[in-house]
Amino acid sequence: MPPTMAAAPAIRELPEPPGLPEPLPEPAVDDLRLETVLSALSEPLRLRIVRKLLLERESFDHPCGWFGLDRPKSSLTHHFKALREAGIIRQRQYGLERRSHVRVADLDARFPGLLALVTAWTPDAR
Amino acid sequence: MPPTMAAAPAIRELPEPPGLPEPLPEPAVDDLRLETVLSALSEPLRLRIVRKLLLERESFDHPCGWFGLDRPKSSLTHHFKALREAGIIRQRQYGLERRSHVRVADLDARFPGLLALVTAWTPDAR
DNA sequence: GTACTAGTTCGACTTTTGTCGTACCGTCGG
DNA sequence: CCGACGGTACGACAAAAGTCGAACTAGTAC
């Protein structure tokens, strides 16, 4: 996809169509901290979430229930929030549901190679 | 104590001279887990330790006091042990002192690009 | 021997993190 | 209007992780 120059921000994950809901509050690219990102990714469940988002990102945004995680809703909120506040995912509100995607360009810019490690990860095999 | 701590790993960081003390117990290369490694590296003090080891590794092994960390000894023991049990550093006993170095080859083999992120990290600037 | 030194081990404490129930809110379809 | 739905907020609890003092061990040096 050629980068159709969107309005405001410098780098975007994808050429995003206009009229999207505003992203929920998140750290700016320059504020991403390696410790924080690593800490967020050191939780197996969150690693699963991010990996799944990376592997199946063609459908762009994903609501929270799409992941098939058998945890209560309040636990999921907790983890998605942790990922967003670490700067790993961006979340937007679409009516009822809140959809997430990985901030690929931002993370690649700040921590090149990191997402490849996540993609290559396998849940508990060696 | 984490589960299997096999000695005698397959790959060596350097062509090590003979007659070295045996490394302290550590996970084998194939047992390195991304979650564990990320978790160990998500602690700023440990990140500092690993980065310093990477940047000044020409002198190979470093005793514990060399790092200039103003924490009590028991705290340092704690962090070095965490790094070793995560498979990030190898430690050997040289008489009184215990010297550490990063398992560069092992980590590069399992998690390529990870150590570059650590090297590029800066303690608390943005 | 004594003393010094690098480091461990133990245990107590504090802080952080994860887990989850309950109550709640806003949107959509009748 | 109502209820179902996707999700948040709060708060209590449990588990994990960091901090550190005190006592200890093992080499080295005198």
Side-chain angles (χ1 to χ4, degrees):
Chain A
M1 293 241 188
T4 44
M5 265 297 103
I11 307 180
R12 277 304 179 197
E13 269 67 31
L14 289 169
E16 295 181 343
L20 284 190
E22 273 305 291
L24 301 196
E26 65 182 20
V29 196
D30 293 333
D31 291 336
L32 298 184
R33 300 288 312 144
L34 182 61
E35 319 87 283
T36 312
V37 169
L38 294 186
S39 172
L41 290 177
S42 68
E43 225 280 340
L45 188 71
R46 293 197 287 255
L47 211 40
R48 263 178 70 190
I49 291 174
V50 176
R51 179 163 174 268
K52 182 154 179 133
L53 278 176
L54 286 172
L55 292 178
E56 294 159 60
R57 76 175 116 153
E58 63 280 350
S59 33
F60 188 60
D61 265 356
H62 297 286
C64 199
W66 168 82
F67 294 86
L69 306 166
D70 57 344
R71 304 283 178 97
K73 294 189 292 177
S74 47
S75 297
L76 296 185
T77 298
H78 170 72
H79 288 297
F80 277 89
K81 187 177 173 188
L83 287 171
R84 176 168 50 84
E85 292 184 341
I88 297 174
I89 63 174
R90 170 165 301 145
Q91 293 187 288
R92 284 195 168 84
Q93 195 77 33
Y94 284 80
L96 258 191
E97 61 196 18
R98 176 167 296 195
R99 301 192 196 152
S100 309
H101 68 273
V102 180
R103 294 171 62 181
V104 179
D106 290 348
L107 290 167
D108 280 349
R110 293 281 275 118
F111 311 118
L114 179 60
L115 291 182
L117 299 177
V118 176
T119 308
W121 179 72
T122 52
D124 57 354
R126 335 194 132 174
Chain B
M1 295 294 161
T4 43
M5 287 295 190
I11 309 179
R12 282 300 184 197
E13 268 70 28
L14 290 168
E16 295 180 343
L20 284 189
E22 273 304 292
L24 301 195
E26 65 181 23
V29 195
D30 293 334
D31 290 336
L32 297 184
R33 301 286 312 144
L34 184 60
E35 319 87 284
T36 313
V37 170
L38 294 187
S39 173
L41 290 177
S42 67
E43 226 280 341
L45 188 71
R46 293 197 288 256
L47 210 40
R48 263 178 69 190
I49 292 174
V50 176
R51 179 163 173 269
K52 181 154 180 131
L53 277 176
L54 286 172
L55 291 178
E56 294 158 60
R57 74 175 117 152
E58 65 281 351
S59 33
F60 189 60
D61 264 356
H62 297 287
C64 198
W66 168 83
F67 294 86
L69 306 165
D70 56 344
R71 304 282 179 99
K73 294 189 292 179
S74 48
S75 298
L76 296 185
T77 298
H78 171 71
H79 289 297
F80 277 89
K81 187 176 172 188
L83 286 171
R84 177 169 48 85
E85 291 183 341
I88 298 175
I89 63 173
R90 172 164 301 146
Q91 295 187 287
R92 284 196 169 84
Q93 196 77 33
Y94 284 79
L96 260 189
E97 60 193 23
R98 176 167 296 195
R99 301 191 196 153
S100 308
H101 67 273
V102 178
R103 295 171 61 180
V104 179
D106 291 349
L107 290 167
D108 280 350
R110 293 282 275 115
F111 311 118
L114 179 60
L115 291 183
L117 299 178
V118 177
T119 308
W121 179 73
T122 53
D124 57 353
R126 325 199 138 167

